[in-house]
Amino acid sequence: MAACSVEKCQEKSFLKSRSIPFYDCPYSFPTTPATMPIDETWEQIKEEAQSDIVNEPILRNYYCDLILSRPSLESALAAHLASKLSIPDIIPRDTLERLLYDALTSDPELGCAVRADLCAVRDRDPACEKMVHCFLYYKGFLALQVHRVAHWLWTYRGRRAAALLLQSRSSEVFAVDIHPGARIGKGILLDHATGVVIGETAVIGNDVSMLHGVTLGGTGKEAGDRHPKVGDGVLIGAGANVLGNVTIGDGAKIGAGAVVLKPVPDGATAVGSPAKVLEGKKSSLPAVSMDHRF
């Protein structure tokens, strides 16, 4: 697969046309006509799903139900997340699926972010061989998409109770706790993701990568704007804690286990507890290279 950057995801108009042969699935939608606009990311996921079915027929019904029977990436994602988050007889799956689908299709920015996140995982995680695997199994990606819907409900629809419900269920199911108020950019990789905590007033830029156990939190009981502001292209290592309303500059690198209580300049590397900025150490796109050495 060719490199897929956030910029490429943002630039795609989905107006390029091509035809993809589909594996014979009883639930498959017909191949997109050559004259119709297509979603290249979604087409690739379907193509990868069919390749997996050929190599592992036991996956046939699973992939047909979750992917090949769905007309769009948004439809498939809403159904997949609803199946994870619903509680029988308490939070009906179909009701939750409709809520998720309405949000994902009401704001084009959400769809763009979903695709940019898929590209980020595929490009930066060497364990991710196919986007379809990220879409189905990677809880960091899935938790982030739940947050995107929760944030949309919290910020643009005033449905805070529904947003908090999604946050709670996502935390229980994926072990990732992101407050619906947090603002997160596109092209985000939450690698492994277990134990990630992001507070209400945190802001994360584009093309950011962070490992498991990262906390973007406050420092006490103060109200108001109390959480970190993370710039574009930042890499945050496993178990790092960034606390308070501090700024992490563009392209900065936070070492694993660091406790950051003060601002970190653009391109700088901060390590230790409490974290100190390493003199003369400047990073170059650390979130993309995923180079944790310093």
Side-chain angles (χ1 to χ4, degrees):
M1 173 185 171
C4 181
S5 66
V6 173
E7 287 78 11
K8 289 181 181 178
C9 284
Q10 291 173 327
E11 289 170 2
K12 285 179 181 175
S13 63
F14 309 119
L15 296 179
K16 294 182 180 179
S17 299
R18 61 188 176 98
S19 178
I20 293 178
F22 281 82
Y23 180 77
D24 183 19
C25 171
Y27 308 108
S28 290
F29 278 72
T31 302
T32 306
T35 56
M36 295 293 289
I38 68 169
D39 176 347
E40 291 185 1
T41 302
W42 179 231
E43 292 297 321
Q44 176 158 347
I45 289 174
K46 291 189 291 183
E47 189 174 36
E48 292 173 348
Q50 293 180 77
S51 174
D52 276 0
I53 291 173
V54 171
N55 295 322
E56 189 54 79
I58 196 173
L59 295 173
R60 185 172 188 268
N61 289 341
Y62 182 56
Y63 275 38
C64 285
D65 177 60
L66 288 178
I67 296 174
L68 298 177
S69 66
R70 308 293 173 177
S72 67
L73 191 156
E74 284 78 7
S75 173
L77 182 59
H80 187 29
L81 292 177
S83 71
K84 298 273 189 186
L85 303 178
S86 61
I87 301 176
D89 301 323
I90 298 177
I91 308 176
R93 176 175 172 174
D94 57 345
T95 301
L96 194 54
E97 181 177 343
R98 173 53 59 183
L99 173 68
L100 292 161
Y101 180 77
D102 286 348
L104 290 168
T105 55
S106 294
D107 186 348
E109 282 296 307
L110 291 182
C112 183
V114 171
R115 290 160 176 82
D117 295 340
L118 282 165
C119 288
V121 178
R122 177 60 183 85
D123 290 347
R124 300 176 210 163
D125 186 350
C128 184
E129 297 179 353
K130 299 178 180 180
M131 276 201 286
V132 69
H133 298 161
C134 171
F135 181 85
L136 291 174
Y137 308 129
Y138 282 38
K139 65 180 182 179
F141 167 77
L142 296 173
L144 185 56
Q145 308 324 310
V146 177
H147 166 73
R148 294 195 184 285
V149 173
H151 179 73
W152 184 80
L153 292 169
W154 180 275
T155 306
Y156 302 107
R157 289 297 181 268
R159 299 180 62 180
R160 295 199 165 190
L164 290 171
L165 170 65
L166 291 180
Q167 176 200 6
S168 176
R169 289 296 297 143
S170 183
S171 179
E172 293 169 0
V173 172
F174 302 120
V176 176
D177 194 353
I178 309 175
H179 193 282
R183 290 183 286 158
I184 301 179
K186 301 180 180 69
I188 307 300
L189 168 61
L190 302 183
D191 197 3
H192 298 287
T194 301
V196 167
V197 176
I198 300 174
E200 178 183 8
T201 60
V203 178
I204 300 174
N206 297 319
D207 295 314
V208 170
S209 296
M210 64 178 68
L211 277 288
H212 51 284
V214 167
T215 296
L216 303 181
T219 58
K221 295 173 64 177
E222 72 274 15
D225 193 358
R226 60 195 183 279
H227 295 109
K229 309 298 179 281
V230 178
D232 296 339
V234 172
L235 173 62
I236 306 179
N241 295 280
V242 186
L243 305 176
N245 187 9
V246 297
T247 299
I248 308 301
D250 294 345
K253 182 191 298 186
I254 308 300
V259 178
V260 180
L261 303 173
K262 296 180 180 179
V264 177
D266 291 355
T269 296
V271 299
S273 177
K276 296 182 179 179
V277 174
L278 298 182
E279 296 297 331
K281 293 287 185 178
K282 289 292 183 179
S283 303
S284 178
L285 300 176
V288 175
S289 69
M290 296 294 288
D291 185 358
H292 293 267
R293 296 171 297 179
F294 51 84

